[in-house]
């Protein structure tokens, strides 16, 4: 009887161990408004480690750090956002330019200086041409995916201002011709075949996933790992990567978790409220 009981215990331990290995490590923060997890996915040229914050889209808010701090030096929970050029100030806002849509409740994250509203650019209202944009409609409680150039295009898709929208470069998950789509939106300008840290925003089901890799991956391997995690029906965008890739979370033991590229000071960030 004792031998049989020992075998049952060993079986249970093995199940627990291999169960954890297969799904990665996951924890819900003390506030309960997001879950952090770390997963490893096998891809064609090795493996990719993804650090992921999963939350309800109603918890998302965009902020600007105006290139004054790295994410790890703030109290925000989230990841880095759209592309930007260091030290490149937009005259209509007197703030560092951000090159992707980042809109909270119908308004760009960086307001224009009074009197320069008609000249405003690079303030979160515009993408770098028409490119992949994830939209959450607070009113209908639905995601919308669009390839748009500016906030007016988003307004047309949504029909009101009660939404958030984040622009990037389309991952085209599930599409074998994804590289053509992504290069058409400018991915080829950002060293897609170099092995560097990557950042992305993805939605599937009712959740939004904020994702940063902690190793050096090509854009293809990063996207492949995300497709393995969420399936071909997920929608996602590439965000600024390399030295800009950053994630900050707190796990269920109140321990801060940070993933950083070169701790570059950031412009736009995606936060969990």
């Amino acid at each position: 009887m004792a031998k049989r009981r020992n075998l049952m215990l060993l079986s249970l331990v093995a199940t627990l161990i291999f169960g954890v290995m297969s799904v990665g490590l996951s924890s819900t923060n003390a506030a309960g408004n997001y879950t952090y997890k770390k997963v490893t996915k096998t891809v064609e040229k090795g493996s990719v480690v993804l650090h992921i914050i999963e939350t309800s889209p109603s918890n998302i808010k965009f902020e600007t750090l105006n290139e004054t701090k790295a994410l790890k030096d703030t109290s925000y929970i989230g990841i880095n956002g759209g592309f930007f050029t260091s030290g490149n100030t937009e005259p209509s806002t007197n703030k560092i330019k951000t090159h992707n849509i980042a809109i909270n409740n119908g308004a760009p994250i960086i307001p224009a200086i009074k009197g320069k509203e008609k000249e405003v650019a690079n303030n979160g209202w515009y993408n770098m041409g028409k490119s992949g944009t994830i939209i959450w409609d607070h009113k209908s409680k639905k995601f919308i995916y669009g390839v748009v150039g500016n906030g007016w295009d988003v307004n047309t898709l949504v029909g009101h201002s009660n939404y958030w929208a984040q622009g990037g470069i389309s991952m085209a998950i599930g599409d074998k011709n994804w590289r053509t789509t992504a290069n058409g939106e400018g991915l080829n300008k950002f060293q897609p075949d170099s092995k560097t840290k990557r950042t992305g925003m993805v939605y599937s089901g009712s959740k939004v996933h904020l994702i940063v890799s902690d190793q050096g991956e090509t854009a293809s391997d990063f996207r492949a790992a995300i497709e393995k995690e969420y399936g071909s029906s997920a929608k996602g965008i590439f965000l600024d990567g390399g030295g800009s890739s950053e994630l900050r979370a707190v796990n269920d033991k109140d321990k801060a978790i940070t993933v950083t590229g070169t701790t570059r000071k950031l412009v736009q960030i995606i936060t969990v409220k």
Side-chain angles (χ1 to χ4, degrees), residues 123-271:
N123 67 331
W125 192 249
Y126 301 90
N127 277 327
M128 301 176 288
K130 289 187 177 293
S131 58
T133 302
I134 294 175
I135 305 158
W136 172 252
D137 182 341
H138 288 293
K139 192 178 285 188
S140 69
K141 300 192 183 307
K142 290 182 179 179
F143 286 106
I144 301 170
Y145 190 85
V147 178
V148 298
N150 54 56
W152 293 293
D153 293 340
V154 179
N155 287 345
T156 299
L157 282 176
V158 182
H160 55 80
S161 62
N162 191 10
Y163 66 85
W164 60 250
Q166 175 66 56
I169 294 174
S170 295
M171 288 186 181
I173 296 170
D175 182 355
K176 65 180 181 180
N177 297 315
W178 72 274
R179 189 63 178 264
T180 301
T181 299
N183 284 347
E185 297 179 15
L187 181 66
N188 55 335
K189 299 175 184 176
F190 298 102
Q191 300 179 315
D193 298 318
S194 295
K195 290 191 173 183
T196 188
K197 291 184 179 179
R198 304 280 171 181
T199 303
M201 184 184 205
V202 174
Y203 70 85
S204 64
S206 62
K207 298 291 185 182
V208 62
H209 317 286
L210 310 178
I211 307 170
V212 172
S213 66
D214 73 354
Q215 302 176 103
E217 288 81 37
T218 64
S220 179
D221 284 347
F222 180 61
R223 175 189 169 277
I226 289 171
E227 184 166 356
K228 281 200 167 186
E229 178 69 7
Y230 295 110
S232 60
S233 62
K235 299 287 187 182
I237 54 175
F238 293 103
L239 296 167
D240 202 359
S244 300
S245 284
E246 294 189 43
L247 175 146
R248 183 178 182 277
V250 177
N251 67 13
D252 58 342
K253 295 179 176 58
D254 209 30
K255 179 183 177 183
I257 296 160
T258 58
V259 181
T260 60
T262 58
T263 62
R264 185 184 186 192
K265 293 177 180 178
L266 301 176
V267 177
Q268 188 237 323
I269 59 174
I270 303 170
T271 73

Side-chain angles (χ1 to χ4, degrees), residues 74-88:
T74 74
S75 60
Y76 291 115
I77 300 300
I79 61 170
N80 64 290
F83 295 86
F84 68 98
T85 305
S86 291
N88 195 351

Side-chain angles (χ1 to χ4, degrees), residues 8-24:
M8 289 174 67
L9 285 170
L10 286 171
S11 176
L12 177 60
V13 168
T15 300
L16 288 171
I17 290 171
F18 287 106
V20 169
M21 288 176 65
S22 66
V23 300

